[in-house]
Amino acid sequence: AVNLLMAAQSQASIATKDIVIRFRAPMDTHSIAMGTALKMLSPLLKLNSAHFPALKIVNGSEGVVHLRFNNAREAMLAARIFATSSDVLGVSKNHLYRPAMKFSFKELDAEKVAREEAVRMESLSPTRWFGAVGVDAVSRLPEVMLPSGDSPSGVDTLDSQDWSMKNIHMPSVASLARLIEKASRVTAAVIDTGVDYNHEDLVEGYWRNPDDASEVGYDFAHNVNKPYDQVQFDIEGCMKDRACRMGLDQSKFLSNPGHGTHCAGHVGAVAGNGMGIRGAGAGVKVMGLKFFYDPGEENAGQGDDAAAIASIDYAIAHGVKVISASWGGRAPRDEAERAELKTALKRARDAGILFVVAAGNDGVDQDRVEDPGYPAAYDLDNLLVVAATDEDDNLADF
């Protein structure tokens, strides 16, 4: 029964008002091809007195476009219209994904966490979906700190407690120099809820855009270059709810658990700087790519195909060699195989990118269930699908 509840919790839904289309010709908002394509919607808009759909170019050179309609019926009718066109290579639903995690409250000081999150969120406001975010909203996001170049040295304070490094036979801190030098040639992207780009154990290890050192990645959920990880979790509400305390139904209390920062730390937290832990890939340049929506927005706490695709293509364009994707959503196989996300993963494969993806928290064999977790279930040879083990190397329950 517990496993069934966990599976239901991790099953992301579909953005029913959205569709993702791949046209034969490259697309931008002013192209003749785009104008011709959108004329196909005229009968639908006239018939339903509908407003013109919100439009976002996902990958112009590949002809990938994201459309959001007023309701699911309009989206379904539009999908049928586009599917009959010889100018269209594919039409798919816009699948939603959740972070692959659960909270554990065994050693949690709920009041302390709530206070820290309140302070962190005090100057932030929810941002708008589609297009540029309002100037006021962007101004409230923290400015990206530049690296100081003089990172302190010393044994990481939590090194002795970091059993994961011992379990995977990572070398001791004293033997890390050669490994870190090699890692420094690699950029690893964390496609997730964003990153705390001013975190003391990460700020010296971020990738920086050669043309703008304040750009450490991008937020494709809101189209801004500040991929900030806005932590939002109703700790107090969850603690009062028995199912949530057990980790069985946390979605109604969870908008963003700081999951992207957590993953970025495991990937590339700076080693030997006298702070926290070190990342398994310490020395790599960490790129933060946000594709999850924030509190107060439609699909809050979830990411979608369109923003995930844009994130992957950004990583390809900037020479990334490894992508961390600790998220997923369940879907019927035939439907998921038609999703444009798979095409984007093939582009990543052709660019020589290893895509490390979570197997999910359901405790199931993704090859044997009818609605497996994606992208983990895609049969692509650049995917490395991983599960979590605990301190005793047993399959983790978190």
Side-chain angles (χ1 to χ4, degrees):
V2 171
N3 280 342
L4 288 175
L5 285 168
M6 287 167 58
Q9 157 66 12
S10 67
Q11 182 167 351
S13 56
I14 294 170
T16 55
K17 297 190 296 185
D18 301 17
I19 56 176
V20 180
I21 307 166
R22 182 156 53 98
F23 293 99
R24 289 188 183 277
M27 289 285 164
D28 64 57
T29 52
H30 304 294
S31 69
I32 295 174
M34 176 64 79
T36 302
L38 294 181
K39 279 182 181 178
M40 289 188 281
L41 292 179
S42 297
L44 167 66
L45 300 176
K46 195 175 296 182
L47 176 67
N48 293 278
S49 299
H51 296 292
F52 199 79
L55 179 149
K56 184 159 62 175
I57 303 294
V58 178
N59 185 324
S61 62
E62 294 288 334
V64 182
V65 175
H66 181 193
L67 293 174
R68 169 168 286 179
F69 294 84
N70 290 324
N71 53 59
R73 182 172 180 272
E74 288 179 16
M76 180 183 67
L77 292 173
R80 290 176 181 172
I81 291 171
F82 282 118
T84 63
S85 171
S86 59
D87 295 324
V88 173
L89 288 174
V91 180
S92 60
K93 297 175 182 177
N94 193 31
H95 298 88
L96 297 170
Y97 306 95
R98 292 194 177 116
M101 55 73 65
K102 291 196 302 172
F103 272 103
S104 171
F105 297 103
K106 293 176 182 176
E107 300 175 4
L108 178 66
D109 180 342
E111 291 186 6
K112 179 182 177 183
V113 173
R115 285 196 304 272
E116 290 176 350
E117 291 185 358
V119 170
R120 190 175 185 185
M121 289 301 297
E122 188 175 357
S123 64
L124 301 177
S125 63
T127 46
R128 290 179 56 241
W129 193 87
F130 264 83
V133 180
V135 174
D136 184 56
V138 173
S139 69
R140 297 184 184 215
L141 291 173
E143 293 300 321
V144 180
M145 287 174 53
L146 298 178
S148 64
D150 57 350
S151 182
S153 61
V155 177
D156 296 327
T157 54
L158 299 178
D159 184 68
S160 63
Q161 301 175 45
D162 195 355
W163 50 263
S164 63
M165 292 294 102
K166 297 179 179 66
N167 279 9
I168 62 174
H169 308 293
M170 286 293 287
S172 64
V173 174
S175 306
L176 275 176
R178 189 169 62 90
L179 197 62
I180 289 175
E181 193 279 325
K182 286 188 174 183
S184 66
R185 306 169 198 169
V186 176
T187 301
V190 178
I191 300 179
D192 214 286
T193 60
V195 292
D196 178 357
Y197 41 66
N198 294 329
H199 192 287
E200 62 178 6
D201 208 8
L202 289 166
V203 69
E204 300 291 335
Y206 283 124
W207 167 86
R208 306 277 171 170
N209 189 326
D211 299 322
D212 181 359
S214 67
E215 184 174 322
V216 296
Y218 205 83
D219 176 354
F220 286 100
H222 309 97
N223 292 336
V224 293
N225 67 350
K226 291 183 175 181
Y228 192 62
D229 192 0
Q230 298 192 38
V231 177
Q232 283 281 289
F233 185 60
D234 182 2
I235 297 283
E236 185 178 354
C238 183
M239 294 293 280
K240 294 177 181 178
D241 184 277
R242 182 173 180 274
C244 186
R245 286 199 308 273
M246 294 174 63
L248 302 179
D249 185 15
Q250 297 175 333
S251 60
K252 59 178 176 276
F253 299 100
L254 171 67
S255 289
N256 180 349
H259 186 261
T261 302
H262 167 83
C263 292
H266 279 299
V267 171
V270 177
N273 63 349
M275 301 177 192
I277 63 167
R278 73 179 191 269
V284 302
K285 302 303 180 186
V286 178
M287 175 189 289
L289 295 172
K290 178 172 180 172
F291 86 113
F292 279 78
Y293 298 102
D294 290 325
E297 300 175 324
E298 193 161 3
N299 303 324
Q302 298 180 92
D304 63 14
D305 276 332
I309 293 166
S311 298
I312 292 169
D313 287 325
Y314 180 98
I316 293 171
H318 291 90
V320 164
K321 288 304 176 187
V322 183
I323 290 175
S324 165
S326 182
W327 40 267
R330 297 165 71 89
R333 289 186 185 276
D334 59 342
E335 183 179 288
E337 289 296 325
R338 294 194 299 270
E340 283 302 315
L341 179 63
K342 185 174 184 180
T343 307
L345 291 173
K346 290 179 179 178
R347 288 197 291 275
R349 176 193 63 193
D350 295 342
I353 294 176
L354 176 66
F355 194 85
V356 185
V357 58
N361 296 327
D362 305 344
V364 299
D365 183 341
Q366 302 289 10
D367 293 329
R368 295 172 183 263
V369 293
E370 292 182 3
D371 57 342
Y374 287 92
Y378 283 127
D379 187 15
L380 296 171
D381 58 9
N382 62 323
L383 264 63
L384 178 63
V385 183
V386 299
T389 60
D390 63 18
E391 190 170 1
D392 299 315
D393 279 335
N394 297 315
L395 193 64
D397 64 356
F398 49 80

